Amino acid sequence: MDVELRHLRCLVAIADEGTFTDAAHALGVSQAAVSRTLAALEDALGARLLRRTSRSVTPTGTGSRVLAHARRVLAEVDDLVREAAEGSQRLRVGYAWAALGRHTLAFQRRWGAAHPATELQLVRVNSATAGLAEGSSDLAVVRRPVDDRRFDSAIVGLERRLCALAADDPLARRRSVRLADLSGRTLLVDRRTGTTTPELWPPESRPATEDIHDVDDWLTVIAGGRRVGMTAESTAHQYRRPGVVYRPVRDAAPVAVRLAWWRDEPHPATRAAIALLTELYRA
């Protein structure tokens, strides 16, 4: 026989209430039903879980271990139910490196004013889907095409490409740079979430690349002067770091900013978020 949630709730109720009678009252069932449910759980596990005397009920050694697991399982189930019930009351917007750049604060403020019943949470998740696939976000800000058929996406705006350089790099003295200026350098790239690939350059002049997976590490290495980076404009607004400067790459195509969501179960606030972000980027 399988262990069911009602078995675990019964065990916890007996332990918490102290007697079968009080557990029955807490659960809203008869004392006989409590006894049968506990017996079914003990049969399923093949172990005695409680010691019963005329005055008290105490867990056995096995019962104590099962009780601890039961509490964790029931807490997880309660969290699951609460998450499903409160889903429409909260909008989690995930992002991998930078959120929405200079529009981040305006998005938060204007969302709160227009949708007070739906709490907005910005969540940083450094994955290809910015938390969608992992269940950490309801919508995701991504800056590369979403190839996974499970998701839909819409472009809400465009951002300039910027080069990140050490403050004492010779290129930092310029107001802007070209792709050709970087062809002899080594670029730090995040292949999972980043927007920079060697294909931005002609085949004969592509720069060397080095993988990195975290924006803080990216900034630290660039500040040391050994490597350079290229990123969307939002990174410069969200991550200002002593020793690192950003310069526009004037002959590089802009980066499309997309909002992605689950195709078969979009959050009720998806369309409102798309409309607001599109308005902010157009402004």
Side-chain angles (χ1 to χ4, degrees), residues 117-197:
T118 304
E119 179 189 2
L120 176 66
Q121 295 180 358
L122 296 181
V123 185
R124 184 183 168 213
V125 183
N126 196 33
S127 74
T129 63
L132 273 184
E134 295 80 4
S136 303
S137 62
D138 305 303
L139 295 175
V141 178
V142 293
R143 291 176 171 83
R144 54 197 295 175
V146 181
D147 297 328
D148 194 321
R149 295 173 63 89
R150 295 176 297 172
F151 308 117
D152 272 335
S153 66
I155 294 177
V156 296
L158 299 174
E159 294 177 344
R160 295 183 300 168
R161 289 186 194 268
L162 304 181
C163 178
L165 305 154
D168 59 353
D169 191 293
L171 291 177
R173 295 194 291 267
R174 303 183 185 181
R175 296 180 62 180
S176 64
V177 300
R178 293 182 178 275
L179 288 170
D181 297 324
L182 305 174
S183 61
R185 309 293 291 270
T186 298
L187 268 72
L188 294 174
V189 298
D190 185 341
R191 298 181 190 276
R192 294 178 301 176
T193 66
T195 57
T196 303
T197 68

Side-chain angles (χ1 to χ4, degrees), residues 97 162-169 171-173 188 215-231 235-247:
W97 275 43
L162 304 181
C163 178
L165 305 154
D168 59 353
D169 191 293
L171 291 177
R173 295 194 291 267
L188 294 174
V215 65
D216 287 318
D217 295 339
W218 184 79
L219 289 165
T220 298
V221 175
I222 291 172
R226 297 184 296 108
R227 301 289 185 262
V228 298
M230 193 155 68
T231 187
T235 304
H237 288 277
Q238 189 157 336
Y239 297 102
R240 302 182 185 275
R241 177 70 64 90
V244 176
V245 298
Y246 297 92
R247 295 292 182 263

Side-chain angles (χ1 to χ4, degrees), residues 2 12 21 26 30 32 36 69 74 81 90 102 125-126 132 144 148-149 158 181 189 195 216 255 262 267-268 276 282:
D2 294 332
V12 170
T21 301
S30 67
R36 288 194 301 270
H69 282 289
L74 293 174
V81 172
R90 178 185 62 186
R102 62 189 177 90
V125 183
N126 196 33
L132 273 184
R144 54 197 295 175
D148 194 321
R149 295 173 63 89
L158 299 174
D181 297 324
V189 298
T195 57
D216 287 318
V255 177
W262 282 92
H267 190 282
L276 177 54
R282 284 178 178 169

